[in-house]
Amino acid sequence: MGVNVGIDFGTSNSGVAIYQGEQIQILPIDTKNIVPEVVKTILYITRDYRTFIGQEAVELYYKQNINRQRHFVKKWTGEIDYHGADMHYVRDVYVYIDELQPGRLMQFIKTALRSEKYTGTQVFDRFYSLSDIISTYLEALKQRAEALIKDEISHVTLGRPVKFSQNPELDQKAQDTLQQAALEAGFKRVEFELEPIAAALYYERSLSKPQNVLIFDFGGGTLDLTIMRLGDPHDRRVYASGGIGIAGSDFDRAIIQNRMLSHFGKGQVQHDPEILNLINTIPDWAALPELSTPLARGALQRAIQAREAPVRLKALESLIFNDLAFSFYNMVETTKITLSTQGAAIAEMKEKDLDIWELYTRLQFEKDILEQRQQIEKVLLDTLSASGLEPAQIDAVVKTGGSSNIPVFIEMLARIFGSEKVKSSDVFNSVTAGLAIRAYQSA
Amino acid sequence: MISQDKIDEWIREVQERPASAELIIRYIANRLSELSSRADELAADNIELLSGRKVEEYENRIASLEYQLELLKRQFGGEVILPSEVPALKPMVETINLLVYNPLGQVLRLEIDPTSLVSGETLAVLNAQAPPGDTPINLLVTGSREELLFIFDSGRTVAMPVSQVPLSNKVDLDWTQAFIQEPQVKEELAAIQPIAKMTLYETCLQASRRGFVKKMKTSFLASHITENYIGSGVKVRADKTWGITFANKDDAYSLVSQEGYIFSMQVERLPVAIDEVIRLGITDHIVSAFIVGQKPSILFITQNGKAVHRDASWLEAATSFKTKGQALLSRERREGGTRIVGAAPVDDEAWGVFLHGDGAITSYQLRELISSGSIPSGKSSGVVLSFWCFTRPEATPKPNRDRSDQRS
């Protein structure tokens, strides 16, 4: 017989909590992190297949990768059969492999569950399916938690967004993959709870009388909305739920798209499709590290020698070939977070051949995410409409998740429901805590 | 880049949220201050560039960096050099170090003051018979701050600074007093290669006596050296390790055989895996390998002391591997027994050291040999056993990308 825990496997951050009927204990799962109760959903696999998560993964990645040497070798990966009407031939396929790469860093793992096409990735000589990647992360999380509580963890209640996908088949497939991963990680029983419901359970503990509550769960990967009746454990009702695959990582991408690409030559490079392709790949965090090939370097160096925006392209070369992608995305995210508390922030990064300085205001940010804001407001109103309730009938709006602190969304909620109703739950831990409550209830 | 659109957006932020104004002004002021000091630095740099002082400073820095690189190389080889032994930035008077070595790992070292070098002088006499083994006695001339790589025919290597090889008696060289870098069982010392400047080159080429070549990155070679094993470079049983040469990918690499066949090819085209690039006759073997670089001509030395001189443009680049090679000697001379003991690219400043059959080691300014066509008779016996070409070192180390020192 082991312990039951709740795990919030988030897009940006994760957490583990235990509830045994008295007090919820959020485990200090990452002692190296500024907030130890939160662990970054980052996995680093070294060349000898040792695995690291959270801040430890980030630190090791920096130590091993920034400005390191590279050596590319051309490796045969397979062949393609060409069949024509009167011909047939086989062509070999080669890829460039960096022999000196010390490890692979993986971020936004949960986002891959939403993807129809993503099946996994090659990590050195082994292929990791998506289930393998997630199970590797969950296993490390489980081991850390077991070390803290000095007991075996057998059962887990995992959070999941209201919808991984609009397509019910893909949605089910994503949950199955997550379940499979949890079982592979060593959990004997795996249960799921919707993340906003988990957040609601946590909020419910503070209620003295029943309320109609809108849970606005806005994290790194998705926005989940749930309108439910809370306060009486025997009469909980879900009026409506909805969501959209827009969240923090999409805002980061919008900032990069609108404000960062000019630092890498966008607008200056005109008729060079190879270089334009490199520039346009920058917002894609998963694809950027893959650009560091001899072909890309050759193209960049040719363009620099041809005096085609040499300073900007030198910066692009530095970003790609000095393994600065992770620092770059972090810098963008930090700028965005800063704008939640002040009207302007500096997006700044100084590295070899790279000098980004961008004064970024809240107004600019709100302009850059205008389209997403409109979509979010539409989903919010649709969900409200589906619940059959009027805004005035909502007693409280509980916001949780990192992106729920963005002022423009707080203003949106205040405008629709009234500012007095908008309440902030524990931004990072309310879902984890709610999952622990659910795990206790289902034990 | 700060565009007008961006400035308008900042102004709108201030209009909408006046509280942001102070922050925005502070950010812009800080950036202006930073850019202003950077502009000052750039303007100062520009003045120095225009006055030529910057060029001089960069030259000094290059020389200093190159020297530090040499020091690092020594430490890389596991040797700790005390700062007092080699002061970092103080110009040192470079001496010529002549090394005479054989397959048994015996090494004799002589230190020669470059300013006292006289063409035609006998530097020393080797009082001994050639040691057993089928590799002849080899010569090497190098600077006093070099790092040496001892390459054994098993592929094993040992690195050490040249200063760690004890000095020998100046007049009479005797193998019994030689420093020994002892070979292991069934092993012979194939070559000694200076490696202090290897990081200035992209590639290392390893050749075997039978004309097989493999190419590797110098960065890989560096890590192999720390493991004390670079591979034998040998593919067939009857072959043996010969030596290594450093080059850049656009250089032309040349191999010269004892019977006077020459193979030349751009480094980029050479094989990474061990491959036979020149097909030698059954009695033939490689005696020299070099990169011509900026040198205008090539000098071939025969065993009877003849100096055969050719312009660098005479070399024909091979179009494929396993070729017979470009013939230097006519059939008659080859059948008459003429053999090459060494070859090297040369210019007006080049010097050569020669080991003669009677043990005498002499030095000549090579332009004299080129004009006379042979080593003057009467100084020593007519037979030349070994030859090495070098350039007299200068007082201050300067970067030199030409391979003027060539093993033969």
Side-chain angles (χ1 to χ4, degrees):
Chain A
M1 201 50 200
V3 177
N4 289 8
V5 295
I7 290 183
D8 176 20
F9 174 61
T11 305
S12 306
N13 296 295
S14 297
V16 185
I18 299 176
Y19 178 61
Q20 289 173 324
E22 292 171 3
Q23 200 175 3
I24 296 167
Q25 191 189 355
I26 311 278
L27 299 180
I29 205 82
D30 192 351
T31 48
K32 289 188 169 184
N33 204 3
I34 301 167
V35 185
E37 288 79 16
V38 170
V39 55
K40 286 189 173 72
T41 312
I42 286 177
L43 173 67
Y44 186 63
I45 303 175
T46 60
R47 187 168 274 278
D48 54 355
Y49 298 101
R50 285 179 300 135
T51 53
F52 299 87
I53 62 168
Q55 195 58 27
E56 200 179 13
V58 173
E59 285 172 13
L60 187 64
Y61 169 79
Y62 273 115
K63 193 175 157 193
Q64 290 191 340
N65 288 272
I66 303 300
N67 295 323
R68 68 177 170 82
Q69 277 199 325
R70 289 158 188 277
H71 182 257
F72 285 96
V73 288
K74 201 174 174 184
K75 269 199 173 176
W76 183 87
T77 52
E79 51 193 27
I80 298 174
D81 263 324
Y82 285 89
H83 290 275
D86 57 348
M87 58 183 285
H88 166 234
Y89 64 92
V90 179
R91 175 172 286 181
D92 290 318
V93 180
Y94 297 91
V95 290
Y96 284 101
I97 306 282
D98 180 3
E99 277 194 331
L100 303 179
Q101 188 183 20
R104 273 285 301 275
L105 185 81
M106 297 181 209
Q107 282 177 277
F108 304 115
I109 304 165
K110 192 180 175 185
T111 314
L113 285 168
R114 287 155 55 187
S115 168
E116 195 176 342
K117 291 174 186 165
Y118 189 85
T119 54
T121 185
Q122 193 76 27
V123 181
F124 305 113
D125 294 330
R126 291 186 200 164
F127 182 81
Y128 278 68
S129 66
L130 180 56
S131 165
D132 293 337
I133 296 168
I134 297 172
S135 78
T136 306
Y137 182 84
L138 290 178
E139 191 180 352
L141 205 60
K142 179 172 179 277
Q143 282 169 2
R144 281 194 185 190
E146 285 174 338
L148 284 168
I149 62 171
K150 296 184 174 61
D151 202 347
E152 190 199 349
I153 297 171
S154 56
H155 299 170
V156 64
T157 300
L158 276 168
R160 56 149 293 169
V162 176
K163 281 175 187 167
F164 278 111
S165 167
Q166 298 298 328
N167 179 337
E169 272 181 36
L170 287 178
D171 188 72
Q172 187 56 45
K173 188 183 157 208
Q175 181 171 315
D176 292 346
T177 305
L178 191 53
Q179 181 166 27
Q180 177 66 24
L183 291 170
E184 283 171 15
F187 295 105
K188 292 190 177 76
R189 200 178 76 200
V190 181
E191 286 175 1
F192 288 95
E193 182 55 273
L194 299 178
E195 285 155 4
I197 302 273
L201 291 175
Y202 181 63
Y203 174 73
E204 190 179 47
R205 287 159 50 88
S206 66
L207 294 182
S208 53
K209 58 175 187 178
Q211 282 187 347
N212 295 331
V213 179
L214 163 67
I215 305 292
F216 188 80
D217 180 8
F218 201 15
T222 55
L223 164 68
D224 286 321
L225 301 166
T226 307
I227 298 171
M228 61 189 298
R229 182 85 179 158
L230 287 175
D232 178 1
H234 306 291
D235 186 26
R236 284 192 196 112
R237 267 174 293 162
V238 175
Y239 294 123
S241 66
I244 189 167
I246 293 175
S249 56
D250 298 280
F251 302 148
D252 296 345
R253 204 171 302 123
I255 297 172
I256 296 170
Q257 195 79 47
N258 290 291
R259 307 289 166 179
M260 294 291 140
L261 297 190
S262 61
H263 293 276
F264 301 104
K266 188 166 188 182
Q268 291 186 39
V269 177
Q270 299 292 347
H271 305 293
D272 192 335
E274 221 170 343
I275 301 294
L276 285 171
N277 182 44
L278 293 178
I279 296 169
N280 290 327
T281 309
I282 295 173
D284 186 349
W285 61 268
L288 188 61
E290 309 295 328
L291 294 181
S292 56
T293 65
L295 290 175
R297 180 160 242 165
L300 277 170
Q301 287 177 349
R302 277 193 301 278
I304 291 166
Q305 276 178 2
R307 295 177 172 272
E308 193 181 359
V311 177
R312 307 291 161 189
L313 294 191
K314 203 75 193 158
L316 178 58
E317 189 186 14
S318 178
L319 177 74
I320 297 172
F321 290 93
N322 291 332
D323 280 290
L324 297 174
F326 183 72
S327 312
F328 175 70
Y329 295 119
N330 257 355
M331 179 273 289
V332 171
E333 191 186 11
T334 307
T335 308
K336 178 191 71 182
I337 292 168
T338 309
L339 285 180
S340 294
T341 51
Q342 51 191 55
I346 297 292
E348 194 171 23
M349 191 169 170
K350 278 195 176 68
E351 292 289 342
K352 186 173 175 284
D353 297 324
L354 179 64
D355 182 7
I356 296 174
W357 186 92
E358 183 78 32
L359 172 57
Y360 195 45
T361 65
R362 196 183 286 173
L363 207 67
Q364 287 175 313
F365 175 55
E366 287 164 5
K367 180 181 160 192
D368 293 343
I369 61 166
L370 179 65
E371 198 182 316
Q372 289 94 331
R373 278 163 52 201
Q374 288 168 341
Q375 285 177 286
I376 285 167
E377 185 159 346
K378 183 176 181 302
V379 171
L380 177 61
L381 295 175
D382 287 350
T383 309
L384 186 63
S385 164
S387 73
L389 298 175
E390 290 298 318
Q393 292 174 282
I394 301 290
D395 301 310
V397 177
V398 178
K399 58 185 191 62
T400 183
S403 300
S404 70
N405 274 342
I406 296 174
V408 75
F409 296 107
I410 300 174
E411 286 160 18
M412 179 194 290
L413 294 173
R415 177 165 42 84
I416 298 170
F417 300 101
S419 59
E420 72 289 349
K421 289 182 187 171
V422 180
K423 299 183 189 322
S424 182
S425 183
D426 184 332
V427 169
F428 292 113
N429 292 322
S430 59
V431 173
T432 316
L435 290 168
I437 296 169
R438 179 58 87 212
Y440 172 73
Q441 290 169 347
S442 65
Chain B
M1 283 204 300
I2 298 171
S3 61
Q4 188 55 49
D5 285 350
K6 274 188 193 171
I7 296 169
D8 291 343
E9 285 175 335
W10 297 342
I11 292 168
R12 271 202 294 280
E13 171 71 33
V14 173
Q15 286 167 343
E16 282 217 5
R17 263 184 291 266
S20 304
E22 188 189 329
L23 198 60
I24 290 175
I25 290 171
R26 194 174 301 137
Y27 282 143
I28 294 174
N30 287 345
R31 179 65 170 173
L32 274 177
S33 157
E34 188 192 323
L35 290 179
S36 162
S37 58
R38 206 183 298 174
D40 282 351
E41 281 172 25
L42 288 172
D45 276 356
N46 201 27
I47 291 166
E48 294 206 330
L49 272 172
L50 291 171
S51 66
R53 275 172 51 198
K54 205 74 187 172
V55 176
E56 197 181 322
E57 185 192 318
Y58 280 133
E59 275 180 353
N60 288 337
R61 275 171 66 182
I62 289 167
S64 164
L65 284 171
E66 204 172 47
Y67 179 60
Q68 285 175 33
L69 190 69
E70 284 186 39
L71 287 181
L72 279 173
K73 283 291 143 195
R74 291 179 187 192
Q75 287 168 3
F76 199 68
E79 301 300 333
V80 179
I81 303 296
L82 294 173
S84 57
E85 197 176 333
V86 274
L89 293 171
K90 195 173 155 188
M92 286 173 62
V93 176
E94 184 77 280
T95 57
I96 294 172
N97 280 255
L98 168 64
L99 287 100
V100 186
Y101 63 96
N102 66 34
L104 302 177
Q106 295 170 314
V107 187
L108 297 159
R109 178 166 79 97
L110 277 183
E111 217 169 47
I112 301 157
D113 178 2
T115 56
S116 66
L117 206 57
V118 177
S119 186
E121 182 189 23
T122 299
L123 299 172
V125 178
L126 183 62
N127 288 326
Q129 296 294 315
D134 58 357
T135 310
I137 298 168
N138 284 306
L139 298 174
L140 168 68
V141 178
T142 183
S144 49
R145 285 171 287 172
E146 259 297 348
E147 183 78 13
L148 300 176
L149 186 70
F150 289 72
I151 304 168
F152 293 90
D153 59 3
S154 61
R156 185 172 69 88
T157 58
V158 176
M160 66 161 66
V162 68
S163 57
Q164 284 201 356
V165 178
L167 279 171
S168 307
N169 183 316
K170 268 213 160 180
V171 186
D172 298 320
L173 296 176
D174 193 338
W175 288 123
T176 58
Q177 291 167 12
F179 163 76
I180 302 177
Q181 187 62 56
E182 203 166 342
Q184 292 176 354
V185 180
K186 291 186 178 175
E187 222 182 33
E188 286 185 353
L189 178 62
I192 302 178
Q193 175 73 33
I195 55 168
K197 289 178 182 165
M198 74 175 182
T199 46
L200 300 177
Y201 300 91
E202 295 163 347
T203 306
C204 169
L205 300 154
Q206 186 174 24
S208 77
R209 274 169 64 86
R210 295 290 300 157
F212 286 69
V213 170
K214 84 168 174 190
K215 180 172 70 177
M216 63 184 125
K217 292 258 181 203
T218 47
S219 53
F220 281 9
L221 179 75
S223 55
H224 293 336
I225 289 171
T226 56
E227 301 295 327
N228 296 321
Y229 185 78
I230 63 164
S232 66
V234 163
K235 201 172 173 185
V236 294
R237 188 174 278 187
D239 200 2
K240 270 196 164 185
T241 308
W242 187 78
I244 59 174
T245 308
F246 297 114
N248 290 315
K249 63 181 181 185
D250 294 330
D251 289 333
Y253 174 68
S254 301
L255 286 170
V256 179
S257 83
Q258 192 189 35
E259 292 180 9
Y261 290 102
I262 299 133
F263 168 84
S264 188
M265 185 177 268
Q266 195 187 2
V267 169
E268 200 168 31
R269 296 188 57 202
L270 289 167
V272 174
I274 304 167
D275 207 346
E276 187 179 20
V277 296
I278 180 168
R279 184 150 285 174
L280 300 174
I282 198 154
T283 55
D284 201 4
H285 64 85
I286 297 298
V287 292
S288 279
F290 53 81
I291 302 300
V292 178
Q294 301 299 316
K295 300 286 167 72
S297 56
I298 301 148
L299 188 68
F300 301 87
I301 302 294
T302 68
Q303 95 282 20
N304 49 13
K306 296 285 180 201
V308 184
H309 182 234
R310 294 280 184 273
D311 280 343
S313 58
W314 174 81
L315 282 178
E316 288 171 10
T319 52
S320 62
F321 300 154
K322 299 183 177 66
T323 60
K324 196 178 174 191
Q326 187 181 357
L328 173 75
L329 305 173
S330 64
R331 189 174 169 183
E332 291 73 26
R333 287 185 70 188
R334 195 164 42 250
E335 286 176 355
T338 302
R339 294 290 180 265
I340 304 293
V341 293
V346 293
D347 57 16
D348 278 355
E349 303 303 316
W351 284 70
V353 283
F354 300 84
L355 171 65
H356 300 268
D358 59 1
I361 299 172
T362 58
S363 69
Y364 287 93
Q365 191 150 23
L366 293 179
R367 65 170 176 237
E368 291 178 14
L369 291 195
I370 291 167
S371 56
S372 65
S374 65
I375 298 169
S377 55
K379 279 273 176 188
S380 55
S381 79
V383 180
V384 177
L385 297 178
S386 193
F387 158 65
W388 183 269
C389 171
F390 68 100
T391 308
R392 275 207 296 198
E394 294 171 39
T396 316
K398 289 236 171 172
N400 179 8
R401 287 193 164 254
D402 289 339
R403 289 297 319 277
S404 54
D405 299 337
Q406 303 295 338
R407 182 185 165 207
S408 54

